[in-house]
Amino acid sequence: MATARTPDKRPYQSTELRQSATIEAVVQLCAEQDPATLTTARIADEVGLSQGALFKHFPNKNRLWESVAGWVSGQLTSQVFREADRHEQADQSLEAMFLAHVGFISRHPGIPRLMLGELQKPSNGPAKTIVRQTLVRYRKKVVGLLQLGIEQGHIAAGIDTEAAAVLYLGAIQGLVVQGMVSGEMATLEQTAPRIFKLYAASFQEIPNDPKK
Amino acid sequence: MATARTPDKRPYQSTELRQSATIEAVVQLCAEQDPATLTTARIADEVGLSQGALFKHFPNKNRLWESVAGWVSGQLTSQVFREADRHEQADQSLEAMFLAHVGFISRHPGIPRLMLGELQKPSNGPAKTIVRQTLVRYRKKVVGLLQLGIEQGHIAAGIDTEAAAVLYLGAIQGLVVQGMVSGEMATLEQTAPRIFKLYAASFQEIPNDPKK
DNA sequence: GGGAAGAAAGTAATTAATTGCTTTATTTTG
DNA sequence: CAAAATAAAGCAATTAATTACTTTCTTCCC
């Protein structure tokens, strides 16, 4: 008798599709809610399922968080690193990475909350490990680019590359926190170039050589 | 018959003393536990009270968090700003602030978790407002010092002071996140000078004037 | 001063609500 | 109709807050 209540949405979907839809729903929800307070009921509601149905696609909540962390790590790494590989000069790669990273966050405002929330957990669960390894890999990439830039002669030779990598990630962090304080995550991309320009000034090869 | 079990501790204490003891216990606990998972029972246990007794001194949990946020704000502001006022040159003030801030965090490793945790909450409760206002005031202080430094001739004139203030806070953020990733909050003070040196290079007045 | 009177501070037990997760029942599909 | 997927109800555990009651400290009056 009663036909489908949501006509355009197929009521039954494969576990694979439900999983990716759930992960994206979590990322979406984190943009407006503290991840720690996210209940399975709220998540299920966002996907369009009942709370119990969620556990047909994920064995438990922890595994769901693990999947979310994996998705974030993969997306962030691929999108940012890809942008870096499109340039020859290391300093240009760094700038492209920076802007791509900020853009990614701007498109998914919940991700800083997600990653910071994981890092805050004292227990070394799988999700936290994924986030940590992602950051470690990211920092190594930055250090590598800085050293390449030194070899290319575009970055000052005597620079503290480890510190510069920390400051690089810190610049993004500061931008994000500033966005959280002001409540406007939308204007991030607007401010990002100004921050990077200043950051780059800290290791720029000073063209004070008036040999000619 | 049985005398006091803890001889040197008076069993009954004033609400005022219990309040400050509770606040410090929370700050202490945040160093090893996610603030969101802190229960009133755990806090009461740390203070040495029963769970119910806590509500003799705080009307509810929210007000307790509000008090904690106020304490953190006051301590951070007074300790860091005091250090800044001990120098004449603005660039020296900035460095002293930076190191004092890192030292304060190093002494209370739970505070970044506390502040970030509050900022992550979407609701604009009193505690979040306190944290936000503290950061806003902090940033204005940094901007003011940067402008003073420009007037004094120790900081490059054409600098983007707003961006430099964001990068200043970002440098601390990056240091903290780096500490959380590596799990060692103790080595913060050791790395801090390297980060600040690099940061300062981004706006240093370039002594490229070989007039003599 | 000393001793009731009462305020303040403590405990243990209980409450209502919420949580992650499980189980039962219903519906849809091939 | 049977298998598979979903929805709904239920469960054990945990939470902040309240209760009823006891113990300690303070105060005030004769």
Side-chain angles (χ1 to χ4, degrees):
Chain A
M1 296 263 183
T3 53
R5 10 191 105 172
T6 55
D8 52 4
K9 278 190 181 174
R10 309 235 323 276
Y12 282 37
Q13 295 221 357
S14 71
T15 283
E16 197 177 1
L17 284 177
R18 289 297 194 201
Q19 280 177 342
S20 59
T22 303
I23 290 171
E24 284 176 34
V26 169
V27 173
Q28 154 78 19
L29 281 172
C30 284
E32 52 193 42
Q33 200 168 344
D34 183 1
T37 70
L38 262 187
T39 68
T40 54
R42 180 74 187 87
I43 296 169
D45 183 63
E46 184 76 12
V47 183
L49 291 179
S50 68
Q51 186 259 351
L54 218 62
F55 293 91
K56 295 286 179 182
H57 311 291
F58 294 94
N60 53 52
K61 205 187 183 186
N62 275 340
R63 293 286 285 273
L64 167 57
W65 281 109
E66 200 177 324
S67 298
V68 171
W71 185 88
V72 170
S73 172
Q75 289 290 311
L76 180 68
T77 302
S78 67
Q79 290 192 24
V80 171
F81 284 20
R82 181 206 314 146
E83 208 60 32
D85 294 339
R86 294 182 54 190
H87 297 81
E88 289 287 334
Q89 295 193 9
D91 53 342
Q92 291 179 355
S93 287
L94 283 172
E95 180 168 15
M97 275 179 74
F98 191 91
L99 298 180
H101 192 149
V102 173
F104 179 69
I105 289 174
S106 181
R107 260 173 280 128
H108 305 282
I111 284 185
R113 268 208 269 255
L114 251 166
M115 299 187 72
L116 285 179
E118 278 304 322
L119 282 182
Q120 282 176 11
K121 293 183 185 174
S123 68
N124 284 353
K128 181 174 179 179
T129 301
I130 290 175
V131 171
R132 185 153 53 193
Q133 284 178 343
T134 304
L135 286 178
V136 168
R137 188 147 68 111
Y138 199 126
R139 213 188 54 224
K140 284 181 180 172
K141 175 83 173 180
V142 173
V143 170
L145 282 172
L146 286 167
Q147 288 172 339
L148 178 62
I150 293 175
E151 294 172 13
Q152 292 175 337
H154 299 122
I155 291 179
I159 207 184
D160 186 343
T161 53
E162 293 280 349
V166 173
L167 188 58
Y168 174 96
L169 285 171
I172 295 177
Q173 291 284 329
L175 211 44
V176 168
V177 169
Q178 161 70 10
M180 278 164 43
V181 169
S182 68
E184 310 160 357
M185 284 298 234
T187 62
L188 278 194
E189 293 190 87
Q190 196 174 339
T191 321
R194 290 168 54 193
I195 304 291
F196 185 82
K197 189 179 172 190
L198 195 68
Y199 166 72
S202 70
F203 57 71
Q204 213 70 326
E205 186 73 77
I206 305 167
N208 62 349
D209 190 12
K211 69 165 73 91
K212 300 235 157 37
Chain B
M1 299 267 181
T3 54
R5 9 190 106 168
T6 53
D8 50 3
K9 276 189 182 177
R10 312 235 317 276
Y12 281 38
Q13 294 223 356
S14 71
T15 283
E16 200 176 1
L17 283 178
R18 289 299 194 201
Q19 280 177 342
S20 59
T22 303
I23 290 171
E24 285 177 34
V26 169
V27 173
Q28 155 77 20
L29 281 173
C30 283
E32 52 193 40
Q33 200 167 347
D34 183 2
T37 70
L38 263 188
T39 69
T40 54
R42 180 75 186 85
I43 296 169
D45 183 63
E46 185 77 11
V47 183
L49 289 178
S50 66
Q51 185 256 347
L54 219 60
F55 293 88
K56 297 282 181 183
H57 310 292
F58 294 94
N60 53 53
K61 204 187 181 187
N62 276 339
R63 293 285 285 273
L64 166 56
W65 281 108
E66 200 176 326
S67 299
V68 171
W71 184 88
V72 170
S73 171
Q75 289 291 312
L76 180 68
T77 303
S78 67
Q79 292 192 23
V80 171
F81 285 19
R82 181 207 314 146
E83 208 59 32
D85 294 341
R86 295 183 54 190
H87 297 82
E88 290 286 335
Q89 295 193 9
D91 53 342
Q92 291 178 357
S93 288
L94 283 172
E95 181 167 14
M97 276 179 73
F98 191 90
L99 298 181
H101 192 148
V102 173
F104 179 68
I105 289 174
S106 182
R107 260 173 279 127
H108 304 282
I111 284 184
R113 268 208 269 254
L114 252 167
M115 300 187 71
L116 284 179
E118 277 304 321
L119 283 181
Q120 282 177 11
K121 292 183 185 175
S123 70
N124 284 354
K128 181 176 179 179
T129 301
I130 290 175
V131 171
R132 185 153 54 191
Q133 285 179 343
T134 304
L135 286 179
V136 168
R137 188 147 68 109
Y138 199 125
R139 213 187 54 223
K140 284 181 180 171
K141 176 84 173 176
V142 172
V143 171
L145 282 172
L146 286 167
Q147 287 171 341
L148 178 61
I150 293 174
E151 294 171 11
Q152 291 176 337
H154 300 121
I155 290 179
I159 208 182
D160 185 343
T161 54
E162 294 281 348
V166 172
L167 189 57
Y168 173 96
L169 285 172
I172 295 177
Q173 290 284 330
L175 212 42
V176 168
V177 168
Q178 162 69 11
M180 278 165 44
V181 170
S182 69
E184 311 160 357
M185 284 298 235
T187 61
L188 277 193
E189 292 189 89
Q190 195 175 341
T191 320
R194 290 168 53 192
I195 304 291
F196 185 83
K197 189 179 172 189
L198 195 68
Y199 167 73
S202 70
F203 56 70
Q204 212 71 323
E205 187 73 77
I206 305 166
N208 62 349
D209 190 12
K211 69 165 72 93
K212 304 236 155 32

Coordinates of all heavy atoms in Angstrom, one line a residue, chain A residues 128 132, chain B residues 177-187:
Chain A
K128 N 44.1 7.6 16.3 CA 45.2 8.6 16.7 C 46.5 8.3 16.0 O 47.2 9.2 15.5 CB 45.4 8.6 18.2 CG 46.4 9.6 18.6 CD 46.5 9.7 20.2 CE 47.6 10.7 20.6 NZ 47.7 10.8 22.0
R132 N 48.6 10.8 13.6 CA 50.0 11.1 14.0 C 50.9 10.8 12.8 O 51.7 11.7 12.4 CB 50.4 10.4 15.2 CG 51.8 10.7 15.7 CD 51.9 10.5 17.2 NE 51.5 9.2 17.6 CZ 51.4 8.8 18.8 NH1 51.5 9.7 19.8 NH2 51.0 7.5 19.1
Chain B
V177 N 51.4 21.3 19.0 CA 50.9 20.2 18.2 C 52.1 19.2 18.0 O 51.9 18.0 18.1 CB 50.3 20.6 16.9 CG1 50.1 19.4 15.9 CG2 49.0 21.3 17.1
Q178 N 53.2 19.8 17.7 CA 54.4 19.0 17.5 C 54.7 18.2 18.8 O 55.0 17.0 18.8 CB 55.6 19.8 17.2 CG 57.0 19.2 17.4 CD 57.2 18.1 16.4 OE1 56.5 17.9 15.5 NE2 58.3 17.3 16.7
G179 N 54.5 18.8 19.9 CA 54.7 18.1 21.2 C 53.6 17.0 21.4 O 53.9 16.0 22.0
M180 N 52.4 17.3 21.0 CA 51.4 16.3 21.1 C 51.6 15.1 20.2 O 51.3 13.9 20.6 CB 50.0 16.9 20.8 CG 49.4 17.7 22.0 SD 48.1 18.8 21.7 CE 47.0 17.8 20.7
V181 N 52.1 15.4 19.0 CA 52.4 14.3 18.1 C 53.5 13.4 18.6 O 53.5 12.2 18.6 CB 52.8 14.8 16.7 CG1 53.3 13.7 15.8 CG2 51.6 15.5 16.1
S182 N 54.6 14.1 19.1 CA 55.7 13.3 19.6 C 55.5 12.8 21.0 O 56.2 11.9 21.4 CB 57.0 14.2 19.5 OG 56.9 15.2 20.5
G183 N 54.5 13.3 21.6 CA 54.2 12.8 23.0 C 55.1 13.4 24.0 O 54.9 13.1 25.2
E184 N 56.0 14.3 23.6 CA 56.9 14.9 24.6 C 56.6 16.3 24.8 O 57.0 17.1 23.9 CB 58.4 14.7 24.2 CG 58.7 13.2 23.8 CD 60.0 13.2 22.9 OE1 60.5 14.3 22.6 OE2 60.4 12.1 22.5
M185 N 55.9 16.7 25.8 CA 55.7 18.1 26.1 C 56.8 18.7 26.8 O 56.9 19.9 27.0 CB 54.4 18.2 26.9 CG 53.1 18.0 26.1 SD 52.9 19.2 24.8 CE 51.3 19.9 25.2
A186 N 57.7 17.9 27.3 CA 58.8 18.4 28.2 C 59.8 19.1 27.4 O 60.5 20.1 27.9 CB 59.4 17.2 29.0
T187 N 60.0 18.7 26.1 CA 61.1 19.3 25.3 C 60.7 20.6 24.6 O 61.4 21.1 23.8 CB 61.6 18.3 24.3 OG1 60.5 18.0 23.4 CG2 62.1 17.0 24.9

